[in-house]
Amino acid sequence: MTVAGLLGRAVPGLAGVLFLIGWEGLVRLYAVPAYVLPGPLAIWAALIDDWPILFGSMLETLKIALLALLAAVTLGGLLAVLFAQSRLLERALFPYAVVLQVTPIVAIAPLILIWVDDVTLSLLICAWIVAFFPVLSNTVLGLNSADRNLAELFRLYGATRWQALWLLRLPAALPFFLAGLRVAGGLALIGAVVAEFVAGAGGTGSGLAWRILEAGFQLKIPRMFAALALISACGIAIFAALGLLQHLLLRRWHESAMRVEG
Amino acid sequence: MTPPAGRYPEEPSPACGGGLGGGGSADPHPGPPPRAGEGEALVTLRGVGKRFASGTEALSGIDLSIGTGEFVSLLGPSGCGKSTLLRLVAGLAEPSGGRVEWMAGARPRIGFVFQDATLMPWASALDNVRLPLRLAALPRAEQQALAAAALADVGLAGFERAYPRELSGGMRMRVSLARALVTRPELLLMDEPFAALDELTRNRLNDDLLALWSARGGATTVVFVTHSVFESVYLSSRILVMSARPGRIAEELAIAAPAPRPPGFRTSAGYAAMCRAASEALERAMAGPARQALDRAMADRS
């Protein structure tokens, strides 16, 4: 790799390091108290000190987010396939999926917490509501985007509905589904954290959102930032993992995963 | 260059050349197209018309007979309904008037080649070619063997595992051709298949297509849609010249030259003469009712 290439790769990291140095410098220069704004070093120290608690909470939040994502993929995908089989069903149900999508989760979460006894399950439902729509709408779009001539070819050769779905429409929908999945991954985490906030405000919870609330009550601001950093790290990890999945599944055939050579 | 053994289309011709043609006589002048020999006609269209839901009349009064083993080109300007006619024959669309009749009473095995290669980008060349066999639920081993053989036939042995993305435009079209031929179709329908390719690739594919068709010994009938005069003359045993708005068959030309074409045919005087005849027929078709109406309108204005 050339020097320019290496530099190109390193730029985002360098910018981040410069930002952190500037932050630490300003906090020290103006002697900002830690309960207003801690510097990165203080946050790092809190992360190390409180690691056992924070790590457990992170696993809790990740569990909710990933299970919600799984449910979003399963139910969103199945619903999309159903919609693709019947325009009538799509027209009947799709508007309600949109209603579910545009209603703020913070507004519904308290209701769900009341209706569902199990806290974990209610968190899961909240996160799922946020995450499933991109999977549904993208997959529906993908299933309807199969090449028209290929669809005619399938008809010409007497393909059954099932064959057309399995051999044509699902593969054609894969890039769309994966793009939706990447969006859904981030949203599942956001849904999980928001739901935890609502639940945590009621005194129950053990996820990262609860740690942030708790640290806020106790004015342990560095720990608050440490929990926040962990949430970001989780989001980045989910996004990167889904990006890798996308690349692995599409690299042989889809334009989006191609590198220009030469 | 010596002229080919074939006759010029202007000459009266008792039958189509080479024993391959199923019928159709040379008639470069406008009029109702003659029918191919009724007994051996693979497919006969009687008074076929197609009007779209939008009200556009794409085809009108098509009477046409295609004999078993023929290589027929539909030649015409874009928008003359060539592709629509092909789709009606394929059964991908229904005529709004008239009938499509089949020799066997039902539609035979059909292969279809689109203008684009229309391959599944997520599947290897071999998987693309074996698609028709897979849809017909043949045993997997048989699918693989037949598809590999079809790929070898179009000169793509060794590319079984390549993805469409990794192949050139000409190679992709070859895969498409292999897919159309893998079922050993009785009727091969081709909708401007080589229009998007460069001339060299196109010429080579024309030669290979003729060779493949000849090798099938009259078992496969080809209907080839094109807007290229040169291509239609080079390939066909019979050319149907179409005019537009509404699409109808204006003229019919028999091309009497041996298939596959002898070396040097492309530069021969005979080929040039046949191209000229076809070109003039196309001019006449394009100067049909629409052009006359336009001329009248322009005259009225001045």
Side-chain angles (χ1 to χ4, degrees):
Chain A
M1 195 177 282
T2 60
V3 176
L6 274 175
L7 208 65
R9 287 244 165 142
V11 159
L14 277 175
V17 170
L18 278 178
F19 175 75
L20 289 179
I21 291 172
W23 178 1
E24 185 71 39
L26 286 175
V27 164
R28 280 169 192 247
L29 187 66
Y30 293 103
V32 183
Y35 56 84
V36 176
L37 178 66
L41 288 178
I43 296 168
W44 179 251
L47 189 64
I48 302 295
D49 288 345
D50 300 335
W51 181 251
I53 309 168
L54 289 175
F55 183 69
S57 296
M58 184 180 80
L59 288 184
E60 191 64 27
T61 302
L62 264 183
K63 184 185 85 185
I64 300 287
L66 293 180
L67 282 176
L69 189 61
L70 194 68
V73 166
T74 319
L75 289 169
L78 276 178
L79 211 54
V81 169
L82 272 180
F83 283 5
Q85 297 302 307
S86 154
R87 284 270 156 171
L88 188 71
L89 203 65
E90 181 181 350
R91 282 163 95 178
L93 293 183
F94 201 81
Y96 298 101
V98 175
V99 168
L100 212 54
Q101 156 75 4
V102 296
T103 310
I105 189 64
V106 205
I108 325 177
L111 277 177
I112 293 172
L113 282 161
I114 291 170
W115 290 336
V116 182
D117 278 340
D118 184 61
V119 177
T120 310
L121 186 61
S122 52
L123 294 179
L124 203 55
I125 291 172
C126 291
W128 171 77
I129 287 175
V130 190
F132 103 107
F133 189 78
V135 176
L136 173 69
S137 67
N138 272 40
T139 312
V140 167
L141 181 67
L143 287 169
N144 291 330
S145 300
D147 185 293
R148 280 176 52 100
N149 284 340
L150 266 177
E152 300 221 304
L153 200 75
F154 272 69
R155 241 177 80 203
L156 198 74
Y157 288 121
T160 61
R161 199 170 245 260
W162 172 250
Q163 284 175 322
L165 177 69
W166 186 248
L167 295 176
L168 175 64
R169 300 183 79 183
L170 282 177
L174 186 64
F176 295 82
F177 164 79
L178 289 170
L181 186 63
R182 272 181 104 164
V183 177
L187 285 179
L189 184 66
I190 291 174
V193 170
V194 168
E196 276 176 11
F197 264 108
V198 177
T204 50
S206 53
L208 280 175
W210 167 247
R211 292 299 158 211
I212 289 177
L213 279 173
E214 186 189 49
F217 299 148
Q218 300 166 356
L219 278 183
K220 288 181 176 163
I221 308 302
R223 188 202 273 193
M224 208 168 159
F225 271 89
L228 198 59
L230 282 182
I231 291 177
S232 298
C234 287
I236 291 167
I238 290 174
F239 190 77
L242 294 176
L244 183 68
L245 182 73
Q246 192 175 25
H247 177 76
L248 290 178
L249 287 176
L250 300 183
R251 65 182 162 166
R252 285 300 299 270
W253 64 275
H254 200 255
E255 296 290 339
S256 67
M258 291 287 164
R259 281 207 191 87
V260 181
E261 279 176 37
Chain B
M1 290 290 169
T2 50
R7 298 177 203 86
Y8 297 127
E10 286 88 352
E11 288 176 347
S13 152
C16 218
L20 287 157
S25 58
D27 179 13
H29 304 296
R35 301 238 167 101
E38 296 285 325
E40 52 189 348
L42 179 70
V43 55
T44 306
L45 279 69
R46 295 188 199 279
V48 165
K50 176 70 179 177
R51 186 183 285 277
F52 291 118
S54 60
T56 312
E57 195 173 21
L59 292 172
S60 164
I62 304 276
D63 285 303
L64 164 65
S65 206
I66 294 169
T68 306
E70 266 196 287
F71 197 125
V72 176
S73 281
L74 297 174
L75 175 66
S78 49
C80 73
K82 311 183 288 278
S83 300
T84 308
L85 185 55
L86 208 62
R87 288 170 50 84
L88 289 180
V89 172
L92 290 171
E94 288 300 318
S96 44
R99 292 196 307 279
V100 180
E101 291 166 5
W102 297 95
M103 183 174 68
R107 199 167 259 113
R109 266 201 313 278
I110 289 181
F112 202 107
V113 181
F114 296 90
Q115 184 171 350
D116 301 317
T118 313
L119 302 174
M120 301 179 292
W122 54 83
S124 66
L126 189 77
D127 285 345
N128 267 294
V129 173
R130 76 184 177 94
L131 175 73
L133 310 173
R134 197 170 175 187
L135 293 176
L138 251 67
R140 200 185 164 89
E142 206 171 326
Q143 288 177 24
Q144 304 273 13
L146 286 172
L151 269 177
D153 282 345
V154 297
L156 284 182
F159 287 93
E160 288 84 1
R161 300 177 70 106
Y163 281 67
R165 180 62 221 242
E166 296 156 2
L167 300 172
S168 70
M171 289 162 101
R172 264 180 260 174
M173 192 41 83
R174 284 173 189 276
V175 175
S176 193
L177 193 58
R179 179 181 61 192
L181 289 173
V182 76
T183 57
R184 305 194 159 273
E186 287 141 84
L187 180 59
L188 178 60
L189 303 173
M190 308 184 80
D191 188 2
E192 298 189 29
F194 310 141
L197 301 175
D198 65 272
E199 201 181 340
L200 287 175
T201 310
R202 186 178 188 158
N203 289 348
R204 203 173 307 142
L205 273 161
N206 282 341
D207 284 331
D208 291 353
L209 175 61
L210 273 184
L212 286 166
W213 172 65
S214 307
R216 302 268 293 125
T220 295
T221 307
V222 184
V223 180
F224 190 98
V225 165
T226 180
H227 54 234
S228 161
V229 167
F230 304 105
E231 192 170 54
S232 66
V233 172
Y234 192 74
L235 290 174
S236 347
S237 51
R238 189 155 61 114
I239 301 176
L240 302 171
V241 182
M242 293 186 68
S243 62
R245 277 175 291 273
R248 51 173 71 244
I249 293 169
E251 294 190 33
E252 174 162 337
L253 300 168
I255 302 297
R261 305 309 197 203
F265 180 70
R266 223 180 261 287
T267 47
S268 68
Y271 175 64
M274 285 185 268
C275 285
R276 193 181 322 118
S279 203
E280 283 164 7
L282 187 60
E283 285 287 322
R284 281 195 295 274
M286 287 169 74
R291 179 62 180 274
Q292 284 157 15
L294 182 69
D295 288 347
R296 262 200 310 279
M298 295 304 279
D300 287 348
R301 282 179 56 152
S302 59

